Structures are given as structure tokens and as C-alpha cells.
Amino acid sequence: MDEPTTFHWHGLVIPADMDGGPHQTVAPGERAQVRLDIDQEPSTLWFHPHPMGSTAEQVYKGLAGLLYVTNDTPNGLPNEYGVDDIPLIVQDRRFTPNGGLDYDAHMNVDGTTGDTILANGAINTTFDVQTETLRVRLVNGSNARDFDFTLSNEAEMTQIATEGGPLERPIPLRTITLTPGERAEVLIDFSQVEDVAALKADGVTFTTFRVGELDKASIKIPVTETMERSTDKTADRRLTLFGFGNMVSINGKTYDPERIDIEAKRGDTEVWEIENKPDMMGGMTHPFHIHGVQFRVISRDGNPTYDQEKGWKDTVAVAPDERVKIEITFTKTGTFMYHCHILEHEENGMMGQVKVTE
Ligand SMILES: [Cu+2]
């Protein structure tokens, strides 16, 4: 490329100097060697650039991919890549008349959206299902758009994981909603499907499953420890998300690379209350992401959070007028970003820095 970029590992719990935030740019023609020491739950992470001012356009034009964290312990889930375990990175895009990606951040003030839905970079994908149970790793890789995922036969999917690891218990769902940056692992049961079924985003088919002879699957879904999520924990910090378009802010401020907004100690556990303050128009959902950690969502407006969020998360949707409490333990040091994952909001300054020291 003829412009600077960075290598950001969304969801990896690593020190800030490996994290590829806006401070670690790689100039055109330059080479970067990245060493990652990975020690966290098996999960579906992704990577994308994070340079100040051009993250949204670089991601829109194709710079993003998946990173699987795995271990050697068989856990009873489908895990043969491309056979019974497939990724679907779902993104909306608009095309120029000659087929190029049409990025224009000004067409939609709250981020670039598209009229075409891609899965893994392609339009109208098909997959030949070979096993009764298929594990699908869903990623909302859009710049700005939330997706409601459903099956064409209106069957339930079983969500088994959030961004950073398995759910405490599997959750059957007809609709799975993901905001930009969020991921979910789901199991789809094809044993009752005749010929085809499709996955839809906001009612539009983006991947068709062709079903023939199916291998019987013996799936065991691992059950993990239940975490105590006391809804009356008091917040150590309050962050207020506000605004839309190019008038977005966190606690009334826009991003300043020279300013540390929050100082934290390594090993400390903090509760952050993230409030989405509505504006005169009612406001909009902001997906809130923190670098270098996986956190727990403990409450929404004082109530227990959704069961499908009871796993490690690195991005959490905060609806207008909602207060979401999350519990974070900082295990790595350095200066990390936290921001809205509507990429154009991030670029317009909806981002801050937390410095974690020994
Ligand atoms: Cu936002």
C-alpha cells in the first residue's frame, strides 16, 4: 500500500506494544515482525488495521482476516476447518459501476454501509454440508451496520461462544444480533433439512447450504464454569458515549493520542459502567471495544445481562439510554485503546486510552 497501516489483533490479550494500535504504524515499504505470546481461551478473533484516520477505509477495502485460538484438548465440538467448522465474515459493501469497492464515508454520516452483503469477501456463497451439525463462526466485519442473523427455515441455531471463548451454556436462538466487531460461534443442525437452507442477514440470504447425505455427528458441547455476575457491583469508572456522525465523544472528549484517559494497574479488576446517552434524535447503538483484554458483561440497566453474552467478550453493544456494566481484569501493560467499533465513529474521535502499569 502507499499509506501507513498497523496490524491490530482484535481480541488478543497481549501487551500494548504488540497490539497494533494507532501508535504502531508501519510505513509503506516498511516491514514489521510481530511476536505474539498467546495464552487465552480457544476463540474466534480477527485482525484488521488500526491507523489513525484510515482504519475504516482500509477495512472496507479488504484488510481484515480471522485468527483462531485453539488448543490441543479435544472438546467434542466440530473442528475440521472447511468441513464441519467454517468461518463466515459478514460485511456489507457498495460497488462502483465497474465493480470496485465504493468507499465514501460521507454518504452515510454514521459510517459507510453497503447494499450488498458479502460472506468471506464473496457474494452469494454456497456451502455443501456434509455433517448433521455445522459449526459456524460468525463475524460482523461491517464498518457500521448491525446484523440480525436468521435461518431461512426459521429453525433455532445454538450459540456456543462469544468473542473470547465458550458460553457458560449453549443458548438456542432464532435470531442472533451482532454489532460491528462482535462474533458468535453457532451450531446449525441440518438433520431435518431437505435440500437447502440459507443464512440471512437482516432478511437477505448471503450463504446457501446445500444438504445431501450427511454424516452423523456426535457433538458434545462443553459446559464451562458459571461466573457470578452480581448486578449490584458499584462502578469504578463511568464512560458516557454520546453523539452521532462526526459529533461523537466519550465523556465529552474526542480522542487525543497525547492524553491518557484512564490509568489502571496490572492485575486489578475494575467495573466500568458504559452509558449510551441519547441525543435529541433518540440516539443509536454503539459497539464498545477494549483492546488487550477479554471482559465479562455483568449487567444491563441493573438487570442480569442476556444469556448469550455470558462468555468472554471484547466488544459489547450499548443501546441508546442503556447502562452496561462490564468487569475487566488488566493482565498486560501498556497504553490500550477503547472505542466505538463503528469504524467511522472511532475515526471521528470516539476513542480513549487506558494506560496499564505494573
Ligand atoms: Cu459509535
Side-chain angles (χ1 to χ4, degrees):
M1 296 195 301
D2 56 6
E3 56 186 83
T5 192
T6 81
F7 302 100
H8 170 54
W9 316 98
H10 182 128
L12 267 188
V13 181
I14 49 174
D17 60 0
M18 302 173 180
D19 175 68
H23 300 301
Q24 289 131 21
T25 51
V26 182
E30 218 175 65
R31 183 182 293 264
Q33 186 166 325
V34 185
R35 184 193 151 89
L36 303 169
D37 291 313
I38 296 167
D39 180 16
Q40 64 192 89
E41 293 282 312
S43 47
T44 307
L45 312 181
W46 62 313
F47 58 89
H48 61 77
H50 215 301
M52 204 51 221
S54 42
T55 299
E57 184 168 8
Q58 289 187 6
V59 171
Y60 192 90
K61 291 185 170 173
L63 289 188
L66 281 188
L67 180 69
Y68 287 10
V69 175
T70 59
N71 64 19
D72 294 331
T73 318
N75 63 2
L77 289 171
N79 67 353
E80 197 175 342
Y81 181 85
V83 177
D84 58 13
D85 178 1
I86 63 165
L88 288 173
I89 307 174
V90 187
Q91 300 173 301
D92 61 334
R93 293 292 183 265
R94 191 189 312 273
F95 294 92
T96 60
N98 57 10
L101 288 160
D102 186 7
Y103 182 79
D104 185 344
H106 305 293
M107 294 227 288
N108 180 336
V109 70
D110 282 303
T112 303
T113 54
D115 51 12
T116 306
I117 294 173
L118 309 186
N120 302 342
I123 303 171
N124 286 332
T125 50
T126 55
F127 181 77
D128 290 313
V129 181
Q130 301 166 58
T131 51
E132 283 187 346
T133 305
L134 181 68
R135 178 184 188 179
V136 177
R137 300 166 188 252
L138 280 171
V139 181
N140 183 345
S142 292
N143 280 35
R145 179 163 158 188
D146 303 346
F147 285 124
D148 287 337
F149 294 105
T150 51
L151 285 168
S152 58
N153 58 3
E154 292 171 2
E156 284 179 340
M157 297 171 268
T158 305
Q159 186 176 340
I160 55 168
T162 48
E163 287 92 58
L167 281 173
E168 288 177 358
R169 58 190 178 85
I171 306 296
L173 292 165
R174 285 209 158 73
T175 304
I176 291 175
T177 302
L178 298 178
T179 62
E182 282 190 298
R183 286 95 64 206
E185 290 184 28
V186 300
L187 299 179
I188 303 176
D189 177 9
F190 287 97
S191 61
Q192 307 301 317
V193 175
E194 283 287 333
D195 297 313
V196 289
L199 253 177
K200 296 179 167 197
D202 299 341
V204 177
T205 292
F206 62 91
T207 296
T208 302
F209 298 101
R210 292 187 295 222
V211 182
E213 284 288 294
L214 297 180
D215 288 340
K216 285 244 174 302
S218 70
I219 302 300
K220 251 184 42 215
I221 302 172
V223 175
T224 60
E225 233 172 288
T226 305
M227 185 228 170
E228 191 244 314
R229 289 178 168 79
S230 168
T231 51
D232 50 19
K233 279 184 186 164
T234 47
D236 299 299
R237 307 190 192 269
R238 288 199 164 76
L239 280 75
T240 301
L241 313 178
F242 181 67
F244 59 93
N246 53 18
M247 297 183 301
V248 283
S249 63
I250 299 178
N251 288 349
K253 295 174 187 159
T254 54
Y255 175 66
D256 177 352
E258 306 298 329
R259 185 186 69 231
I260 300 297
D261 299 277
I262 293 174
E263 294 193 37
K265 286 265 173 264
R266 191 172 76 87
D268 278 3
T269 298
E270 298 193 352
V271 173
W272 290 13
E273 182 177 76
I274 303 143
E275 177 196 8
N276 183 348
K277 190 172 146 196
D279 53 50
M280 273 154 38
M281 317 279 285
M284 59 186 292
T285 295
H286 298 285
F288 184 79
H289 169 53
I290 312 176
H291 288 207
V293 291
Q294 290 288 337
F295 54 77
R296 300 282 191 185
V297 181
I298 54 177
S299 69
R300 288 183 175 270
D301 286 333
N303 301 311
T305 193
Y306 317 129
D307 285 341
Q308 66 264 36
E309 283 194 325
K310 291 180 178 170
W312 290 114
K313 288 188 61 79
D314 57 49
T315 309
V316 62
V318 188
D321 210 12
E322 193 178 31
R323 288 178 164 81
V324 177
K325 274 187 193 165
I326 61 174
E327 188 174 88
I328 320 156
T329 303
F330 297 99
T331 58
K332 307 292 175 186
T333 56
T335 300
F336 296 96
M337 304 295 132
Y338 56 85
H339 60 88
C340 175
H341 217 282
I342 292 176
L343 296 178
E344 286 81 358
H345 281 183
E346 174 228 308
E347 284 188 355
N348 292 337
M350 206 169 198
M351 179 155 75
Q353 305 193 94
V354 50
K355 184 176 183 182
V356 183
T357 52
E358 287 291 352

